[in-house]
Amino acid sequence: MDLNLLQVFDAVYRERSVSRAATRLGLSQPAISHALRRLRLELKDPLFVRAPGGVMPTAMAEQLGRTVAGALHALDAAIHQIHHFEPASSSRTFRLYMTDIGELVFLPALMEALQQRAPGVKIEVEQMALEAILPGLESGALDLAVGYLPPLAEVSQHRLLHERYVIVLRRDHPLAAVGGGLDPAALDYVLVRPHAEARRALQQQRLESRVRLVIPHFLVLPGVLARTDLAALVPSRMARLFVERGELVALDSPLATAAFDVRLYWYWRAEHDPGHRWLRELLIALFSEGGAGDAPRAPDGAR
């Protein structure tokens, strides 16, 4: 059915008058009457009958009235959202890939900013195998990915921050006072499995035999380190969070660990989505390091 016919129906239903509906839509009365004739033939019902001061709907028109109004309103809202994003009133859900490091480093500041600027926006954080991230971005199952993710080199991206590994161990560890003179070969290690750079650094120094514990994520690490003489290679920002608890210290690592960039990734199809762009710019403004070109102003609304 021609959508214009439903707009005419809605206008006549609301106004209870062909002439007032014509004024509302900016059409002539004959155009409104012609559209009503087409609708009557399609629906096999008079739809409106003459009444004092205008027309009144039939039983079928009454049944259709609210449904048509709701459908047109939903379509209007959908078209509006394509071109505009209003963070203060949005209830949109965004799905982000982050590691456990990303959750600890990024989520507190992000959620604080959303509470102030977009209180109805929802964030769902996903963790998945590395090979599933690109298909997730391509399909729209993920909106953004944050992390050190070399397999995503070909998608749209922005560098957020530069990271390096440090050695974390308990404050009263027998070797904690050595500082820069620390001998890596004198330590036993906890290795966090997904972080390949730390594993590579230990392998280069032939220290694999010094690994006493392998775990899948960082969240349990502070408790293990605080109660043992084990050490761990940890990204510096996460190490800072661990040290704030008071039981641990972070030392510059003499191991040859490569520094790495943490980036924000998205798929090209989302480039011009106003809501997507707003969230990207917010994340960049909150977390980017470097010059002004790397850190655009935090967005207060859609562009």
Side-chain angles (χ1 to χ4, degrees):
M1 182 179 292
D2 185 347
L3 183 61
N4 291 320
L5 300 183
L6 294 182
Q7 290 179 309
V8 168
F9 171 86
D10 183 62
V12 176
Y13 180 80
R14 290 171 182 271
E15 298 291 345
R16 298 297 200 263
S17 164
V18 171
S19 61
R20 289 194 295 274
T23 301
R24 181 188 184 109
L25 296 177
L27 298 172
S28 67
Q29 287 192 45
I32 297 293
S33 298
H34 176 69
L36 286 178
R37 281 196 297 274
R38 288 178 60 193
L39 266 176
R40 285 167 178 149
L41 288 172
E42 285 238 23
L43 300 176
K44 298 179 175 58
D45 188 87
L47 297 178
F48 299 98
V49 296
R50 292 185 183 278
V55 296
M56 63 180 296
T58 65
M60 177 182 281
E62 282 286 8
Q63 188 176 351
L64 283 174
R66 290 184 180 178
T67 303
V68 169
L72 291 175
H73 176 75
L75 185 58
D76 240 9
I79 291 172
H80 179 78
Q81 287 175 12
I82 291 172
H83 301 289
H84 303 276
F85 180 73
E86 296 165 2
S89 59
S90 176
S91 59
R92 183 166 171 177
T93 297
F94 293 96
R95 294 172 178 84
L96 279 62
Y97 167 85
M98 288 183 183
T99 62
D100 54 333
I101 292 182
E103 291 176 357
L104 283 172
V105 172
F106 295 114
L107 283 183
L110 173 60
M111 296 313 297
E112 180 184 23
L114 290 179
Q115 180 176 291
Q116 296 168 356
R117 306 176 196 194
V121 164
K122 303 175 186 66
I123 300 293
E124 292 185 4
V125 176
E126 306 283 350
Q127 292 189 0
M128 56 184 65
L130 285 177
E131 59 270 18
I133 300 172
L134 180 57
L137 292 171
E138 288 175 335
S139 68
L142 286 175
D143 292 295
L144 295 163
V146 181
Y148 171 57
L149 303 169
L152 300 185
E154 300 305 316
V155 305
S156 300
Q157 56 189 269
H158 185 99
R159 185 174 78 91
L160 293 179
L161 48 90
H162 194 63
E163 259 293 15
R164 62 189 180 87
Y165 283 96
V166 295
I167 292 180
V168 176
L169 34 73
R170 64 185 173 91
R171 185 171 294 279
D172 56 351
H173 191 288
L175 299 179
V178 176
L182 183 66
D183 178 9
L187 294 169
D188 290 326
Y189 293 90
V190 182
L191 187 64
V192 182
R193 187 178 294 113
H195 294 267
E197 291 300 320
R199 180 185 291 274
R200 190 173 298 117
L202 293 175
Q203 288 173 341
Q204 287 173 351
Q205 298 297 318
R206 299 182 179 178
L207 296 177
E208 303 101 309
S209 63
R210 304 303 303 235
V211 175
R212 298 288 177 261
L213 174 64
V214 179
I215 54 178
H217 48 70
F218 278 99
L219 296 183
V220 72
L221 192 56
V224 172
L225 296 180
R227 300 184 63 173
T228 68
D229 285 340
L230 295 174
L233 286 169
V234 179
S236 63
R237 284 168 180 79
M238 173 164 276
R240 197 177 305 149
L241 295 175
F242 289 169
V243 169
E244 287 174 0
R245 303 183 183 192
E247 298 176 303
L248 305 175
V249 293
L251 305 176
D252 285 334
S253 171
L255 295 174
T257 54
F260 60 95
D261 288 335
V262 176
R263 294 178 176 270
L264 178 67
Y265 301 87
W266 64 95
Y267 203 61
W268 63 267
R269 279 201 297 259
E271 187 76 35
H272 301 296
D273 177 316
H276 199 282
R277 184 173 64 236
W278 182 87
L279 183 60
R280 292 197 311 263
E281 290 181 359
L282 178 61
L283 284 162
I284 289 167
L286 288 173
F287 302 112
S288 268
E289 295 175 331
D294 263 356
R297 179 179 58 84
D300 294 319
R303 290 183 178 177

